[in-house]
Amino acid sequence: MMQPFSPCLPPEKARLLSPLQLAFVGDSVHALLARTRLMQVERRMNDMHKLATRQVNAVSQHQALEKLLPHLTEDEKDIVRRGRNAHSKHGIPKSATVEDYSAATALEALYGYLFMSGQMLRLKQIDDICYQEDL
């Protein structure tokens, strides 16, 4: 019998993942939440795609992180700091600055950490803070 999917690790173990591993998962979690949020209002598919693309890019993720920073716990700030300081081997998109890309990686690392550690309520709270007016 197949076991139900569960990404949950104890927070101490999730914290041991590299910030780039957390950002790898967090990128998908962030995109899924953006798409799910957009489904709350009836729109044409083309419009939803454009809005999702606008939210899931380095520049808008940087803006979301700036809005979020005052609401983070010390542990969450540590994950963000580690994510901001992580350097991936691939290039930065032309539409973003190095600062934008580092902040986006930091936000994705936080989303990945919260998801991997099973903190779904906190993940939803953080997503709401970042994007509440984007519905």
Side-chain angles (χ1 to χ4, degrees):
M1 179 158 84
M2 190 153 89
Q3 295 295 318
F5 173 74
S6 175
C8 296
L9 295 172
E12 316 77 64
K13 286 195 177 188
R15 203 173 332 212
L16 294 177
L17 296 171
S18 81
L20 292 178
Q21 287 174 311
L22 293 173
F24 175 75
V25 170
D27 177 54
S28 295
V29 172
H30 183 262
L32 179 61
L33 288 174
R35 286 173 167 77
T36 303
R37 209 173 29 257
L38 292 170
M39 295 295 292
Q40 294 176 21
V41 176
E42 191 171 325
R43 295 182 172 96
R44 295 179 345 183
M45 284 304 302
N46 187 43
D47 294 338
M48 283 194 295
H49 176 73
K50 287 177 184 175
L51 287 167
T53 302
R54 238 181 265 146
Q55 289 178 10
V56 184
N57 69 62
V59 174
S60 83
Q61 288 173 318
H62 184 186
Q63 292 167 348
L65 181 64
E66 292 303 316
K67 197 182 316 180
L68 181 62
L69 286 173
H71 304 279
L72 297 179
T73 67
E74 289 306 313
D75 284 343
E76 292 165 349
K77 287 178 184 176
D78 186 54
I79 296 293
V80 165
R81 181 189 53 75
R82 288 177 52 216
R84 196 183 296 265
N85 292 334
H87 300 288
S88 64
K89 302 282 188 241
H90 59 273
I92 295 169
K94 292 179 185 176
S95 61
T97 66
V98 172
E99 186 179 353
D100 290 332
Y101 195 73
S102 292
T105 302
L107 182 67
E108 290 169 352
L110 179 60
Y111 272 61
Y113 168 73
L114 293 171
F115 179 78
M116 291 302 295
S117 61
Q119 298 181 59
M120 303 309 175
L121 179 59
R122 182 61 176 154
L123 178 61
K124 174 76 170 100
Q125 290 170 340
I126 281 178
D127 194 64
D128 287 347
I129 292 166
C130 290
Y131 300 104
Q132 60 193 351
E133 73 277 351
D134 290 347
L135 291 174

